[in-house]
Amino acid sequence: MNNRNYNIYFNTHTISGIIICALLYVIFFAGSFAFFRNEIAAWQNNASYKTYQENYQSFDKLLDSLQGETNLHGRDINFYMHREGTSAYIGYTASNDTVLNKENLSKITPEQKAEKKKGRKRRGGDDDSKNFMYNFANKTAGDYTQNYDMGEFLFRLHFLAQLNQVPISVGIAPFGYLVAGITAFIFLFALITGLLLHWDKLVSNFFVFRPFSKWKTVWTDMHTALGVIGFPFQFIFAVTGTFLIVNAVLVLPFSKLLYNGEQQKMYQDIGVTAHDNYPYSYKPLLADVKIAPFLDLAKKKWPESEFKRIVVKNFADSNMHVIMELEPHFNRSFAGSGILTVKVADNKVVEEKSPLADTSYGDYVRSIIYRLHYGDYGGYPLKTVYFILGVMGCLVIISGILIWLVARDKNNVIPRKRKFNFWAANIFTAICLTMLPVTAITFIAIKISPKVDQDFIYRVYFYAWLVLSLYYIVRRSIRRTNRETLLVGSILAFIVPIANGLVTGNWLWKTFVDGQRDLFIVDFLWLMIGVIGLLAFYRTKKFFQKIQ
């Protein structure tokens, strides 16, 4: 490789990497835990989703309960299913019956209007629609913030959704999503230029690791070896992550050009969502208002699939339809989406698309992007591999920061630049490395606190992160930051399953014997983090003693 190309690759790789290193570490660290998002939610709620037995009669019971509180006649009701069908995000609209809608609006008190506007700042509106979460496993309901869990927090943190609260308007996307999208895009440059930088000596350098050499050599060998091993994984995540963040921006011009801005119509035409243009008839439904038989019908047709979304159009009206959107289990089909729409009045199927056989090009593209990014197509073995590769990505980032620092900590560099370089690396490592103990602290706090909601998780995680980061920044010792966060994080990792066992009685061995795999996997994951962390601390301690 000639010097000109080498310098271009080197400078592009270094500058792009150091700009995004801290944000990228947060994305990789939180994203690694987010592979076990559903398991963490089950662990927090102490209710195994793996042992849950589906009973679609619970949908009708829920609708009967809602009907006793609110007149549902003429409303559209949406069930967004998640956590393997054990819970749903439910929303119902204002009644399509104009007369009933006026009567319903007249019953809304000023206090309810104020509360609704406060909870719906983005959409606003004075109608009597409602959104809430419902857990079918333990029959509990609550709004989003009340049912917030650590799995949701880490999942959203991995694409920086919490930064959306920052009062910065960029027009095309929420601030946090935009930052995450830009970070993923820059990460592509860092990956490609890094590979080109090491291309000539890729094979020879891959097998070289010199742990007792000078510091720059140690970090360089670690950075190169782990970077090459994890390159395919990291490249996949950079590409799919960029697409997932900016897909709404890409879709917008096509929907405006071809569909006059009607995105829902576009999604229906390409088969992403079912058609739902069923008008309200103003005639009461003479049949029973039940949806369980239709859910049973869909599962009977496609038993190796699960519900993604269920829509009830025109509740209790003669033109009431039940729209069911399904997707196949990963062990049955990698790609696919199914639709079954039934008219309730005569039980007639008006739209049907098999999630197993009628796979379209759009299904393949969408499934490839989502499944490769979320790692939900191979069970726990694949999730474990994804988790390990995600942690390796964190190590590549940290070693890259230290290479950058050591390479610039030379006598020929003027003192003010050396001071700036140290403080930059010191701040980056403090922010990154404290995530391990902070995450463990939050898991422990969740178990010992009698009430956990979104505000609680935010306070514990972000305040602990701020305090520990400032502490290690002030300490001004990257070596101490590295070793102490590893030691403290490992000790706290052991405490997580202990706290769970003491509070709930669900000890590691008990959940394993009872077949509660989701509860077991979280405790076991933290146990392994503790073991590996202490081994790494012991090895680094011996290493430091030998080189001193």
Side-chain angles (χ1 to χ4, degrees), residues 298-306 329 356:
K299 289 294 286 188
K300 185 177 180 180
K301 282 178 173 289
W302 308 303
E304 295 179 308
S305 62
E306 58 187 22
H329 291 306
L356 304 175

Side-chain angles (χ1 to χ4, degrees), residues 2-280:
N2 60 57
N3 288 335
R4 182 176 181 274
N5 287 343
Y6 180 88
N7 289 332
I8 291 174
Y9 298 150
F10 179 82
N11 290 326
T12 304
H13 181 73
T14 303
I15 294 172
S16 60
I18 205 66
I19 289 174
I20 64 172
C21 60
L23 290 174
L24 196 61
Y25 187 96
V26 173
I27 291 172
F28 266 93
F29 186 91
S32 298
F33 280 92
F35 292 127
F36 301 98
R37 174 189 180 188
N38 290 341
E39 288 76 12
I40 293 172
W43 181 87
Q44 177 176 325
N45 295 320
N46 196 36
S48 175
Y49 302 149
K50 295 297 181 181
T51 57
Y52 173 73
Q53 299 294 323
E54 288 182 321
N55 180 9
Y56 299 124
Q57 298 296 329
S58 57
F59 282 81
D60 288 329
K61 292 179 181 178
L62 174 61
L63 291 175
D64 289 341
S65 177
L66 291 175
Q67 180 72 359
E69 301 172 1
T70 306
N71 188 353
L72 296 180
H73 192 94
R75 300 179 189 268
D76 298 338
I77 307 170
N78 289 271
F79 297 83
Y80 294 92
M81 308 303 299
H82 58 109
R83 295 174 187 164
E84 302 180 40
T86 59
S87 61
Y89 183 72
I90 304 171
Y92 58 76
T93 66
S95 178
N96 294 313
D97 189 313
T98 55
V99 176
L100 283 177
N101 189 34
K102 290 181 180 180
E103 293 179 1
N104 295 333
L105 289 176
S106 65
K107 298 176 183 178
I108 301 178
T109 64
E111 292 77 12
Q112 290 175 326
K113 287 184 179 180
E115 185 177 354
K116 181 176 287 292
K117 286 185 177 181
K118 182 180 179 181
R120 298 175 58 189
K121 292 179 180 178
R122 292 184 182 177
R123 289 176 294 173
D126 295 324
D127 58 39
D128 63 337
S129 61
K130 185 177 180 180
N131 297 281
F132 63 96
M133 299 283 294
Y134 187 79
N135 190 314
F136 290 99
N138 54 26
K139 305 294 189 299
T140 58
D143 61 28
Y144 177 76
T145 59
Q146 292 171 338
N147 287 273
Y148 200 78
D149 56 66
M150 194 62 185
E152 180 76 2
F153 173 82
L154 291 170
F155 173 72
R156 297 184 67 80
L157 181 63
H158 107 276
F159 51 88
L160 310 179
Q162 285 80 358
L163 289 180
N164 293 341
Q165 305 299 321
V166 177
I168 298 178
S169 177
V170 291
I172 60 174
F175 178 68
Y177 298 162
L178 181 65
V179 172
I182 293 173
T183 301
F185 189 69
I186 296 176
F187 183 42
L188 278 173
F189 283 92
L191 281 174
I192 295 172
T193 54
L195 185 67
L196 293 173
L197 191 64
H198 297 289
W199 186 257
D200 290 343
K201 297 182 179 180
L202 189 63
V203 175
S204 59
N205 286 355
F206 181 78
F207 295 99
V208 174
F209 187 68
R210 295 155 287 183
F212 302 111
S213 185
K214 57 184 179 180
W215 276 117
K216 183 181 178 182
T217 304
V218 173
W219 299 127
T220 301
D221 290 346
M222 179 180 176
H223 188 76
T224 304
L226 295 182
V228 171
I229 293 172
F231 177 84
F233 170 84
Q234 294 162 13
F235 183 78
I236 287 172
F237 263 72
V239 173
T240 57
T242 301
F243 178 85
L244 290 172
I245 289 294
V246 304
N247 73 87
V249 179
L250 295 176
V251 163
L252 187 61
F254 289 101
S255 65
K256 285 187 175 181
L257 178 64
L258 302 175
Y259 290 87
N260 296 321
E262 297 183 13
Q263 292 188 26
Q264 184 65 18
K265 174 65 176 174
M266 182 187 67
Y267 286 133
Q268 291 172 356
D269 286 350
I270 63 177
V272 175
T273 59
H275 292 85
D276 60 357
N277 52 333
Y278 303 108
Y280 185 72

